[in-house]
Amino acid sequence: MAGNKTFSMIKPDAVAEGNTGAILKMIEDAGFKIVAMKKTLLTKERAGQFYEVHKERPFYEDLRSYMSSGPIVALILEKENAVADFRKLIGATDPAKAEEGTIRKLFAKSIEANAVHGSDADETAENEGSFFFSHTERF
Ligand code: IDP
Ligand code: MG
């Protein structure tokens, strides 16, 4: 079935603050199944590759540094309408604009250190999942 998976990361700020468990609980309680999960550290180069689409943006250098500043938890998640439903669960990029009850509203520190990533489309979700996981790591 198309459109039933998304990719997420718990970002360095949230991992460092000890919010991994609380965020995973929110994700599972919202009906997402964890298909793949790994804690890993991105190099600045790999962080830059992941966010290549933003390379012309003024925050790109900072974003590369931040995303490689500590371990992240990478996730492939499954649910009907996964991409859109997960974006709803995490809230707006800027936590000041995120709705009450969303993961970013609860855990993000700033527009950059915003606790979690969520793919923006089915095709991106597939590519981002493959950036971290082989097919033998998905269950
Ligand atoms: P998204 O994560 O909500 O999809 P994007 O616009 O794709 O937001 O930006 C990717 C990431 O880049 C954000 O999650 C955030 O960490 C960072 N970012 C986005 N906009 C800004 C900004 O204006 N200043 C600093 N960092 C930003
Ligand atoms: Mg995005």
Side-chain angles (χ1 to χ4, degrees), residues 54 87 117-118 120:
H54 293 307
R87 294 289 304 199
H117 168 81
D120 60 8

Side-chain angles (χ1 to χ4, degrees), residues 65-108:
S65 299
Y66 156 63
M67 287 302 298
S68 56
S69 66
I72 59 97
V73 175
L75 300 159
I76 296 175
L77 302 171
E78 183 177 320
K79 183 187 181 295
E80 205 178 298
N81 201 30
V83 166
D85 284 3
F86 193 71
R87 294 289 304 199
K88 213 167 173 186
L89 177 66
I90 69 178
T93 307
D94 181 353
K97 297 180 184 146
E99 275 185 58
E100 290 300 330
T102 59
I103 294 176
R104 281 170 167 168
K105 182 73 179 186
L106 287 165
F107 298 108

